[in-house]
Amino acid sequence: MVNFTIQNVLIAASDDYAKVDVHIVNGAIAAIAPNLQVIGTPIDGKNKLLLPGFFNAHTHSSEMWQRGIMSVLPLELWLAELYDFAPLDPEQVYLSALGTAVETLLSGGTSVVDHLVLIPGLELETIAIATRAYREVGIRAFIAPLIQDESLTAGIPSGESAQNHEPYFRSTAATLEIIEEAVRQFHRPDEGVNILVAPTGIQLCTDALFQGCTELSDRYNLCRHSHLLETRAQEKLAQQKYGCTAVEHLKRIGYLSDRTTLAHCVWLNDADIAILAETQSTVVHNPLSNLRLGSGIAPILKYRQAGVNVTFGCDGASSNDSQDLLEAIKIGSILHNVTDSDYQHWITPRQAVEMASLGGAKGLNLADKLGSLTVGKQADLVLYDLTNLSLLPRTDPIGLLVLGRPSNVVDSAWVNGKQIITGGKFTTINVDELRQELFNRSQWETKRKSQTVAQIEAHYRTVMGL
């Protein structure tokens, strides 16, 4: 492992900035101070800003193949349309994982939580392929195989009409066996690959699946990940299924904990928020997909005031159409200036950076190892070029990074002390070849509504009173 010294670099210090040198030894931050003696390879940090790597704390890598084409629909109908597409193949899984990792790194993220869609019948192969892609790029990967044990139509409230749902093609027990085998084969935290238990959400999962995941989480010390109350329809469904809120129910069955990250969390009440704070669960804010799908605006300022840990995610590239983490952080910060008139609660750029870095680390039970420029923590770092036109003129570097529209500003990135980007270029993979492969494997097309989607839409409109 190469040791190095970043010289004369700008870092955030209290309410100001400081120019320092940073020693990286054996993949960890060994010292931060001015005028350190050079250890190992010198890295020129002049006119650059050093920050801890951000977390893209919720995405679905394989959705890259549908970005830009999905209809303007609410989540339940958007999902029906997404299911209508041709099934994924292993090569698509590989290429889209590479693409997700590259875009995340180029926007400041050194870790990605991939709520990975599995190819039916090739579940373990899907996980293996995504693992290989993330290892090749060098990003820190948290692979959360997306699992369910109920059919798609079960995710919409029944309303006054009785609904019969087709049984899911794979049993709950078989699904849990796949996840346990995935843990045995691929869970290697020391090598930068982590497996999470990740039932998709209350809308498509039985209690047996949630409880089975909780048991696996406890047995193997795994983190937990799920969607939670992304839409008003899911709020209605929870009352129908449980006679209480989804948050109350998940607490009752033991799924919430300080190792649980919950994506979206748009439709929670004050009592729900108190439960999240009590259980130390983390909310992953996905503002762009929530806007694109009309899901609503998550009450992020309320979460923060209640002491709930919050971080950011891009969500999949067919419900956001981008994996630009800086864009998600910007929108996820300033969106809430219209939800709370007390500006003292608004999210500052420095708070946003801390949410994206340390907030992500806390949600994955890694705050002692990642998420800040602290001696002893692992060197997941990003160096930003402050001479880039989109970060000029020279005012507040973090303000420019978060509130501006920065592009091509990542000069260097390291994960666990290994350099992945240098001078804005990847050292681990050929991005030009990846771009060409993505182009060759796709074609210009439009999407037309199928009969299946039309039927689901008719029921959805009735139940939602539209």
Side-chain angles (χ1 to χ4, degrees):
M1 189 172 289
V2 177
N3 299 334
F4 58 95
T5 302
I6 306 174
Q7 297 181 285
N8 199 32
V9 72
L10 205 65
I11 65 168
S14 299
D15 293 329
D16 202 353
Y17 294 90
K19 287 185 179 179
V20 298
D21 299 336
V22 181
H23 281 166
I24 307 300
V25 178
N26 295 327
I29 301 171
I32 302 173
N35 304 314
L36 291 173
Q37 183 177 354
V38 173
I39 292 178
T41 304
I43 305 289
D44 185 7
K46 185 179 180 182
N47 296 323
K48 297 181 177 71
L49 173 69
L50 184 68
L51 291 176
F54 300 147
F55 286 72
N56 185 354
H58 176 71
T59 191
H60 308 279
S61 62
S62 62
E63 287 184 13
M64 177 174 286
W65 296 98
Q66 289 84 38
R67 69 177 175 185
I69 194 174
M70 297 296 292
S71 301
V72 180
L73 292 169
L75 175 75
E76 286 74 20
L77 305 183
W78 172 90
L79 270 176
E81 185 174 280
L82 185 67
Y83 273 53
D84 240 17
F85 274 94
L88 286 168
D89 63 50
E91 182 68 10
Q92 287 177 308
V93 171
Y94 173 68
L95 292 172
S96 55
L98 288 178
T100 296
V102 166
E103 288 192 272
T104 295
L105 280 155
L106 289 176
S107 55
T110 52
S111 293
V112 60
V113 177
D114 187 357
H115 209 175
L116 181 67
V117 177
L118 304 177
I119 300 174
L122 297 174
E123 292 86 356
L124 290 170
E125 183 178 348
T126 307
I127 299 168
I129 291 166
T131 298
R132 176 165 65 93
Y134 289 135
R135 282 183 178 275
E136 287 179 11
V137 176
I139 198 168
R140 194 178 296 274
F142 298 83
I143 297 175
L146 189 151
I147 52 175
Q148 65 191 75
D149 59 353
E150 293 186 303
S151 62
L152 182 63
T153 56
I156 300 177
S158 61
E160 297 179 0
S161 60
Q163 297 289 310
N164 293 317
H165 308 297
E166 291 292 323
Y168 196 61
F169 76 93
R170 187 176 56 229
S171 72
T172 305
T175 297
L176 292 169
E177 286 173 9
I178 288 169
I179 300 306
E180 185 164 19
E181 184 58 31
V183 173
R184 294 193 189 103
Q185 291 189 31
F186 308 113
H187 186 58
R188 302 288 184 272
D190 292 343
E191 300 172 17
V193 177
N194 305 263
I195 299 296
L196 281 60
V197 295
T200 185
I202 62 103
Q203 66 277 13
L204 296 174
C205 299
T206 64
D207 284 357
L209 187 59
F210 273 108
Q211 290 168 324
C213 285
T214 300
E215 194 276 329
L216 288 175
S217 168
D218 291 341
R219 189 190 317 165
Y220 294 103
N221 192 30
L222 307 173
C223 288
R224 311 166 189 175
H225 187 67
S226 295
H227 300 97
L228 179 63
L229 294 178
E230 187 171 354
T231 66
R232 186 181 287 276
Q234 291 173 10
E235 179 191 37
K236 289 175 175 286
L237 182 67
Q239 288 292 337
Q240 176 184 302
K241 288 179 73 169
Y242 312 125
C244 64
T245 71
V247 175
E248 289 177 286
H249 187 73
L250 290 179
K251 179 189 177 185
R252 188 180 302 156
I253 64 175
Y255 190 74
L256 304 180
S257 77
D258 61 355
R259 288 181 289 151
T260 304
T261 52
L262 302 162
H264 303 293
C265 297
V266 177
W267 295 95
L268 276 64
N269 61 34
D270 290 346
D272 293 334
I273 295 171
I275 290 172
L276 294 190
E278 174 195 340
T279 58
Q280 300 179 61
S281 302
T282 289
V283 170
V284 183
H285 187 24
N286 300 272
L288 289 154
S289 64
N290 291 162
L291 291 170
R292 190 203 194 290
L293 301 174
S295 300
I297 300 176
I300 296 303
L301 301 186
K302 280 190 174 184
Y303 292 132
R304 286 173 49 79
Q305 290 169 61
V308 176
N309 183 46
V310 180
T311 190
F312 297 102
C314 289
D315 208 355
S318 63
S319 63
N320 170 354
D321 307 279
S322 165
Q323 292 296 292
D324 187 332
L325 191 50
L326 285 169
E327 181 184 46
I329 293 167
K330 174 179 178 175
I331 300 300
S333 301
I334 65 175
L335 177 63
H336 306 284
N337 298 359
V338 302
T339 66
D340 189 332
S341 59
D342 189 346
Y343 55 86
Q344 292 184 336
H345 297 151
W346 295 356
I347 298 169
T348 68
R350 288 191 180 223
Q351 289 171 337
V353 163
E354 184 175 23
M355 291 164 67
S357 51
L358 189 58
K362 284 179 179 177
L364 294 162
N365 207 27
L366 289 170
D368 60 332
K369 296 180 180 178
L370 297 169
S372 64
L373 299 182
T374 303
V375 171
K377 289 195 176 184
Q378 294 172 8
D380 287 20
L381 307 171
V382 177
L383 200 59
Y384 297 92
D385 179 6
L386 297 178
T387 69
N388 183 283
L389 183 60
S390 60
L391 293 181
L392 291 172
R394 288 189 290 171
T395 55
D396 178 358
I398 290 178
L400 287 164
L401 189 70
V402 172
L403 298 176
R405 183 61 179 90
S407 59
N408 303 317
V409 293
V410 172
D411 175 85
S412 302
W414 296 265
V415 173
N416 201 31
K418 177 183 177 182
Q419 190 155 18
I420 296 171
I421 299 174
T422 182
K425 304 293 183 182
F426 277 81
T427 61
T428 51
I429 66 164
N430 188 320
V431 176
D432 287 336
E433 288 183 1
L434 170 62
R435 185 165 54 241
Q436 191 62 52
E437 285 290 332
L438 286 167
F439 184 85
N440 292 342
R441 283 296 307 266
S442 54
Q443 61 183 6
W444 314 121
E445 58 182 317
T446 56
K447 180 67 181 164
R448 290 181 173 84
K449 188 183 299 182
S450 72
Q451 185 176 355
T452 301
V453 174
Q455 290 171 344
I456 293 174
E457 182 176 12
H459 174 67
Y460 174 87
R461 291 185 64 83
T462 299
V463 170
M464 300 305 294
L466 299 174

